[in-house]
């Protein structure tokens, strides 16, 4: 449906920060329908373990569409264990060429602790510059804030949390109820989860 017929779901900011041998993905919890907050505690950052290799993924966009993409990504990772870039490219190819998948409205940030990638429905698999990626309604605010802090003495999680706080202060579709998942570079069995 067109935006003028149905206001659509909004309310996501996801950020990925890679620094000091660690990658952190943080996401807020707000889901809005038009001008109404439907839920403030949604969990838009997930840890997947296909083939015994941990991957952290954050999504922006339609929740059902995002879960469909996460399931497809898991299947690709099971077929190519430990090869996140290859699985992401295969997912992006399918997303771009499959008539069913083309209708999905979501974006993903994924990491295995070594690579940090943004996957889009346009067939893009992007490795961000400056080791920071952000998507969603407040993504540009969080990205700008994190880029301003990335060279400071703050660790990856602190940069992500502070950038999300700034985005939540500016973007009406973003709140401060964060889900934060981190994964250490090269340590695929690391499990350091923090929720606030």
């Amino acid at each position: 449906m067109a935006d003028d017929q149905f206001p659509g779901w909004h309310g996501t900011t996801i950020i990925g920060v890679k620094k000091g041998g660690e990658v952190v993905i943080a996401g807020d919890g707000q889901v809005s329908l038009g001008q109404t907050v439907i839920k403030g505690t949604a969990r838009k950052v997930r840890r997947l373990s296909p083939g015994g290799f941990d991957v952290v993924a954050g999504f922006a966009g339609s929740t059902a569409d995002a879960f469909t993409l996460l399931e497809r990504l898991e299947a690709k990772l099971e077929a190519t264990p430990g090869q996140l870039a290859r699985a992401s490219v295969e997912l992006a190819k399918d997303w771009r060429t499959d008539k069913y998948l083309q209708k999905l409205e979501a974006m993903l940030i994924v990491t295995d602790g070594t690579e940090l990638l943004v996957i889009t429905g346009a067939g893009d698999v992007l490795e961000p510059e400056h080791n920071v990626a952000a998507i969603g309604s407040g993504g540009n605010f969080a990205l700008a804030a994190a880029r301003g802090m990335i060279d400071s003495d703050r660790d990856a999680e602190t940069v992500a949390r502070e950038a999300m706080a700034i985005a939540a202060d500016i973007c009406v579709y973003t709140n401060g109820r964060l889900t934060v998942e981190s994964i250490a570079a090269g340590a695929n069995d690391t499990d350091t989860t923090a929720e606030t």
Side-chain angles (χ1 to χ4, degrees), residues 48-55 73-88 111-115 117 183 186 188:
L48 314 172
S49 296
F53 292 90
D54 279 353
V55 170
L73 178 61
E74 269 191 297
K76 299 292 183 188
L77 285 164
E78 285 171 359
T80 58
Q83 298 180 50
L84 179 62
R86 182 175 176 188
S88 298
T111 184
D112 59 1
T114 302
E115 297 176 287
L117 304 170
I183 186 167
N188 230 331

Side-chain angles (χ1 to χ4, degrees), residues 5 7 21 56 84-85 87-89 96-97 108 116 126 133 146 149 165 168 179:
Q5 294 173 313
V56 176
L84 179 62
S88 298
V89 168
R96 176 105 170 125
T97 58
L108 302 173
L116 177 64
L126 307 168
M149 291 183 274
T179 301

Side-chain angles (χ1 to χ4, degrees), residues 52-126:
F53 292 90
D54 279 353
V55 170
V56 176
F59 62 84
S62 166
T63 305
D65 291 357
F67 279 120
T68 299
L69 293 168
L70 289 175
E71 287 173 7
R72 296 277 181 138
L73 178 61
E74 269 191 297
K76 299 292 183 188
L77 285 164
E78 285 171 359
T80 58
Q83 298 180 50
L84 179 62
R86 182 175 176 188
S88 298
V89 168
E90 290 299 317
L91 173 64
K93 270 199 279 188
D94 289 354
W95 194 353
R96 176 105 170 125
T97 58
D98 184 288
K99 287 190 184 293
Y100 166 73
L101 293 178
Q102 285 176 355
K103 296 178 183 176
L104 300 183
E105 296 179 3
M107 291 179 73
L108 302 173
I109 294 179
V110 297
T111 184
D112 59 1
T114 302
E115 297 176 287
L116 177 64
L117 304 170
V118 177
I119 309 171
T120 75
D124 299 315
V125 177
L126 307 168

Side-chain angles (χ1 to χ4, degrees), residues 17-21 130-132 144-163 166:
V17 178
K18 180 178 178 182
K19 184 176 182 185
H130 312 288
N131 294 320
V132 179
R147 292 232 351 232
M149 291 183 274
I150 197 71
D151 291 329
S152 71
D153 60 357
R154 296 171 178 91
D155 64 10
E157 183 170 338
T158 303
V159 170
R161 286 182 181 276
E162 291 184 11
I166 290 169

Side-chain angles (χ1 to χ4, degrees), residues 22-25 47 56 157 180-184 190-194:
E22 180 182 38
V23 184
V24 173
I25 296 182
R47 184 178 294 270
V56 176
E157 183 170 338
V180 179
E181 292 273 354
S182 64
I183 186 167
T190 301
D191 184 16
T192 55
T193 304

